[in-house]
Amino acid sequence: MFEGFFSGGIIKRALQKGLIEINVRNLRDFTTDKHRQVDDRPYGGEEGMVFKPEPIFAAVESVRQSDKTPVYLLSPQGRRFDARLAEEMARHPQIVLVCGRYEGVDERVAEHLATDEISIGDYVLTGGELAAMVVVDAVARFVPRVVGKEESVRHDSFFEGLLDYPQYTRPREFRGMKVPQVLFSGDHKKIEAWRRKKALEKTRGRRPDLLAGRQSSPEEKHLLDQIDNERNKR
Ligand code: ADE
C-alpha cells in the first residue's frame, strides 16, 4: 500500500534528498507463533477480530529510537488530526504511527504504549494505513525544505486558522468567466486586503467552526461584519 505513496511527488523528492526517512514494519514479522497471528477473537464475545498487543509492542520497540519518541495510534476513536498537530509532530526527530485494522486494537496499546490516539476524520477506513499516509504527508510538509518555499506552508489553509483565498491564472477571461479586476491593479496592499476578505468570506460560509475558535483582530472583526451585512442583503 505504501509503495505508490513513496514513489511520486514531494514525498519521493524528500526521501531522495534525505529530508525525511520512512520505515514501514509488518506486524507479522513480530509474531512468535507458527501462523504469524497478529489478531485474535475479542474477550467478552463479539464479532470480528482484534489486534493482539505483543506484535505491536515488539514492532514499536524495534523502531523507537528514544523514550521521547511519540507513538500515535491511528483509529476513529482518536483525537482529531489537524495542521497544528502536524506541525507539532514535525518538530520531533522521530514519530511512530501504529495502524489498526479489523474491529480494533487491544486497548493496552492505547493505554500503555501510545502517547496519543489520532483520527483523521469522522469516518471509518478499512485500515489505518491510509490514515498513516495522510499524517505522514501533512507532517512532511512542515519539515524544513520539503516544500519549496517554506513560507508557503505557513500561508496555507488552516495554518492561520482560515481557509485559503481563491487563486487565478491565465487566461484572463475563459468562456466569459473573468479573473477579478483587483488582481491586475498592481496594488499589493489592495490585493492583500482582498485576499484576506475572500479567505474570511469562504471560512464564514463553509467553516464557521474555524472562526469560532479564533481570536479576531479588530480589523478582522470589521471585515466579518462587512461580510455578514453583504450576505444579509443578498
Ligand atoms: N482507521 C480507521 N479509520 C480511521 C480514521 N478515521 N482515522 C484514523 N485511523 C483510522
Side-chain angles (χ1 to χ4, degrees), residues 24-35:
V24 181
R25 290 288 183 277
N26 184 346
L27 290 179
R28 286 204 194 279
D29 297 336
F30 296 88
T31 51
T32 49
D33 64 306
K34 182 166 95 210
H35 302 289

Side-chain angles (χ1 to χ4, degrees), residues 73-78 98-101 118-132 135:
L73 173 64
L74 294 158
S75 97
Q77 282 76 46
V98 178
C99 308
R101 273 217 186 165
I118 303 288
S119 167
I120 63 161
D122 290 343
Y123 38 78
V124 180
L125 301 168
T126 56
E129 292 88 344
L130 213 45
V135 170

Side-chain angles (χ1 to χ4, degrees), residues 8-15 20 140-141 146-148:
I10 287 180
I11 295 301
K12 178 185 177 187
R13 206 182 55 201
L15 287 167
I20 58 170
R141 295 181 71 256
V146 166
V147 171

Side-chain angles (χ1 to χ4, degrees), residues 105-123:
V105 176
D106 188 291
E107 189 67 13
R108 285 167 287 191
V109 171
E111 272 187 18
H112 301 286
L113 183 66
T115 323
D116 220 335
E117 201 168 333
I118 303 288
S119 167
I120 63 161
D122 290 343
Y123 38 78

